[in-house]
């Protein structure tokens, strides 16, 4: 049963309930493959995301960071052998380009590993997502980017939703006519396990131009 976590960004560490759930789901801890969102920057090493896992008591035998220091063929092998794949937070546009350049999208989609994505990583786990200046991107025009497509929905992750509901609804309405969108704030998670979708924290569902707040189920 495939398990995917679409994470926001956490103020400190995983909340206790979420940490316990991850502990229960992540039973194979041989290897974690972390995919950078800024692969040219060596300092973007996933230390923050690793600290969340460490605090939850989730440790791995081997840690691999995939960036431009890793050859394309080696990156493919790391993905194939990973127990957990973690798409790191940061710049979703740069990460999207890197995933394409290294041809990692199909490898991740075919993997039986648990897949986590924080903020930018959550964007790129989804089927498609909107890049818009009104959603915090430094771009001139709106563009819809294709993600890995682990699950058939779109994601807006790590956004100040409560203070921008009308803007978010207006901006995402056209895309919501094509595909369901999960929008989440900080300290949140959407978990897909098999056919079940669960929510932790503040999250909204946008579909057919309508938006509604979801009840926590985790």
């Amino acid at each position: 049963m495939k398990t995917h976590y679409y994470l926001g960004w956490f103020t400190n560490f995983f909340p206790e309930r979420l940490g316990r759930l991850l502990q229960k789901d992540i039973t194979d801890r041989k290897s974690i493959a972390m995919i950078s969102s800024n692969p040219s920057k060596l300092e973007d090493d996933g230390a923050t995301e690793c600290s969340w896992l460490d605090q939850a008591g989730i440790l791995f035998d081997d840690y691999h960071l995939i960036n431009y220091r890793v050859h394309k063929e080696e990156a493919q092998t790391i993905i194939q052998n990973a127990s957990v794949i973690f798409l790191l937070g940061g710049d979703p546009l740069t990460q999207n380009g890197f995933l394409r350049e290294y041809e990692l999208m199909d490898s991740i989609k075919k993997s039986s590993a648990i897949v986590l994505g924080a903020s930018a990583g959550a964007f790129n786990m989804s089927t498609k997502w909107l890049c818009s200046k009104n959603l915090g991107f430094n771009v001139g025009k709106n563009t819809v980017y294709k993600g890995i497509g682990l699950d058939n929905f779109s994601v807006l992750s790590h956004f100040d939703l409560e203070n921008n509901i009308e803007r978010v609804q207006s901006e995402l309405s056209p895309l919501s006519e094509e595909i369901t969108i999960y929008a989440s704030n900080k300290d949140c998670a959407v978990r897909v396990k098999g056919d079940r979708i669960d929510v932790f924290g503040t999250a909204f569902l946008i579909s057919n131009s309508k938006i509604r707040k979801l009840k926590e189920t985790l």
Side-chain angles (χ1 to χ4, degrees):
M1 185 182 298
K2 291 192 174 184
T3 304
H4 310 141
Y5 279 83
Y6 298 79
L7 306 171
W9 196 258
F10 295 89
T11 306
N12 293 305
F13 300 110
F14 290 134
E16 188 174 343
R17 278 189 296 132
L18 182 58
R20 286 199 302 267
L21 192 67
L22 283 157
Q23 281 185 331
K24 185 177 179 180
D25 282 340
I26 302 174
T27 54
D28 182 353
R29 303 180 185 178
K30 294 185 181 68
S31 171
I32 182 170
M34 300 178 293
I35 302 174
S36 176
S37 71
N38 291 291
S40 297
K41 297 182 179 179
L42 301 183
E43 64 272 20
D44 190 20
D45 58 1
T48 298
E49 291 91 331
C50 278
S51 73
W52 302 340
L53 293 167
D54 292 348
Q55 179 70 15
I58 302 170
L59 305 174
F60 296 87
D61 295 336
D62 294 306
Y63 291 77
H64 300 278
L65 176 65
I66 297 176
N67 58 19
Y68 282 128
R69 298 188 72 179
V70 177
H71 292 298
K72 182 177 176 179
E73 294 76 15
E74 183 184 356
Q76 294 279 355
T77 300
I78 291 170
I79 291 295
Q80 290 166 10
N81 295 330
S83 311
V84 171
I85 299 167
F86 201 157
L87 286 92
L88 303 177
D91 183 344
L93 277 172
T94 302
Q95 187 178 64
N96 189 276
F98 181 62
L99 289 167
R100 293 182 182 285
E101 181 183 349
Y102 266 47
E103 299 179 353
L104 297 177
M105 288 193 174
D106 283 345
S107 298
I108 295 169
K109 193 169 184 177
K110 292 175 182 176
S111 173
S112 60
I114 290 177
V115 184
L116 316 176
S119 193
F123 277 90
N124 283 315
M125 285 168 60
S126 64
T127 297
K128 58 176 70 173
W129 53 273
L130 177 65
C131 177
S132 161
K133 65 179 181 180
N134 290 325
L135 298 177
F137 292 93
N138 185 23
V139 293
K141 65 175 183 177
N142 290 4
T143 305
V144 174
Y145 284 86
K146 289 185 178 180
I148 297 166
L150 294 178
D151 300 287
N152 190 32
F153 55 71
S154 179
V155 164
L156 172 65
S157 179
H158 182 199
F159 196 78
D160 182 12
L161 295 166
E162 289 86 349
N163 296 317
N164 296 282
I165 288 292
E166 290 183 3
R167 189 208 312 181
V168 167
Q169 184 175 5
S170 173
E171 198 69 9
L172 290 176
S173 282
L175 183 59
S176 77
E177 295 290 337
E178 302 176 29
I179 190 169
T180 298
I181 303 168
Y182 285 88
S184 67
N185 214 328
K186 291 184 178 181
D187 301 311
C188 298
V190 174
R191 181 185 74 160
V192 179
K193 189 166 187 176
D195 295 327
R196 181 181 172 89
I197 299 177
D198 286 299
V199 173
F200 179 92
T202 303
F204 292 78
L205 182 73
I206 309 170
S207 180
N208 296 318
S209 299
K210 297 179 180 178
I211 186 168
R212 65 181 174 91
K213 189 173 182 179
L214 297 170
K215 292 182 179 180
E216 276 193 278
T217 57
L218 290 179

